[in-house]
Amino acid sequence: ERGIANASINMGIDYSEMKDYKNALIYLNKSIISFQTSGNNTSLSAALDEVGKIYSYAPHEILIKENITASESYNKAIIFQLKSIEAAKEANDLSAQQTALNDLSITYEKQKNFAKALQAYKQSVVLQDSILNEDKKLELNRIAMQYTFDKREDSIKTQNERLHALSSAKIKQQQTIRNAVIAGTVIILLSAAL
């Protein structure tokens, strides 16, 4: 079911990009039903927004063939984009909310409803800032964790080098003692033999 829903949304997007809006809507509507059933609100938000974009961006000559007037197309676009925003909120997906708000702003602008276009755009910008701030926090955490890891690695490396140096010094000391004992034994033996 999940694979079919994902394939349907992808097919819908592909048909939309090829400007075959009729088939795009068929596949996108299939994916919407599947995502609603499965509770996958992030993907549902994406599918709803794609349908909204079709109604907002498709040439009016094509939509008229489907008995949809220009004003109806913008109204349908707004309905789908608002549903997309709600699904994204339920999924707690800031990126999907930001995308849908930005698309909604464009639709309002095309509808010449500039006050609502500006309002949606401002909300989109606020979310974009939140996303960027969250990304920066994650990057700072990653850098801090890498620094801590590198510091520990350096500490372990330093300790290993000290242990190796001590071990080498002890081995040299033992070799010196052994060589001195051997030399002393040889001297005693030679002295006794003479």
Side-chain angles (χ1 to χ4, degrees):
E1 183 72 29
R2 182 176 169 192
I4 294 171
N6 287 331
S8 293
I9 192 174
N10 289 332
M11 292 291 292
I13 292 169
D14 290 343
Y15 275 118
S16 180
E17 288 174 358
M18 294 186 300
K19 305 206 182 321
D20 183 350
Y21 300 110
K22 185 175 183 175
N23 281 317
L25 288 171
I26 290 169
Y27 281 100
L28 289 169
N29 285 323
K30 283 182 185 180
S31 70
I32 288 169
I33 292 167
S34 295
F35 293 135
Q36 284 173 330
T37 303
S38 69
N40 184 342
N41 286 323
T42 295
S43 296
L44 174 62
S45 174
L48 290 165
D49 190 51
E50 285 298 322
V51 172
K53 286 195 291 190
I54 288 173
Y55 286 121
S56 183
Y57 295 117
H60 294 295
E61 310 82 60
I62 292 173
L63 293 172
I64 286 173
K65 290 177 186 176
E66 299 296 321
N67 295 321
I68 300 171
T69 66
S71 64
E72 287 176 330
S73 70
Y74 292 137
N75 289 336
K76 283 184 175 233
I78 290 167
I79 289 167
F80 278 95
Q81 289 163 340
L82 288 172
K83 287 180 180 179
S84 173
I85 294 165
E86 285 307 310
K89 284 180 180 177
E90 287 179 27
N92 201 23
D93 187 333
L94 295 180
S95 181
Q97 288 177 57
Q98 188 273 329
T99 299
L101 280 163
N102 189 58
D103 292 336
L104 179 63
S105 172
I106 292 167
T107 302
Y108 280 136
E109 184 178 342
K110 287 181 172 195
Q111 198 181 40
K112 307 227 182 299
N113 189 340
F114 299 113
K116 285 189 176 183
L118 181 60
Q119 181 184 14
Y121 178 75
K122 284 180 178 179
Q123 289 174 339
S124 171
V125 169
V126 167
L127 285 175
Q128 182 64 32
D129 288 346
S130 295
I131 293 166
L132 291 175
N133 286 338
E134 190 62 32
D135 289 347
K136 286 178 184 177
K137 284 180 189 176
L138 291 173
E139 180 63 15
L140 287 174
N141 284 339
R142 187 196 65 74
I143 291 169
M145 289 173 64
Q146 185 65 45
Y147 174 78
T148 302
F149 176 79
D150 290 346
K151 194 173 173 182
R152 286 183 185 159
E153 284 290 310
D154 288 344
S155 174
I156 291 170
K157 183 178 177 183
T158 302
Q159 285 179 331
N160 284 340
E161 287 172 353
R162 285 182 191 160
L163 288 174
H164 181 70
L166 284 173
S167 180
S168 293
K170 190 157 190 126
I171 289 171
K172 284 186 180 189
Q173 181 185 15
Q174 288 174 352
Q175 286 174 340
T176 303
I177 292 172
R178 184 193 70 206
N179 289 342
V181 169
I182 290 173
T185 305
V186 168
I187 291 175
I188 291 176
L189 288 175
L190 286 176
S191 297
L194 291 175

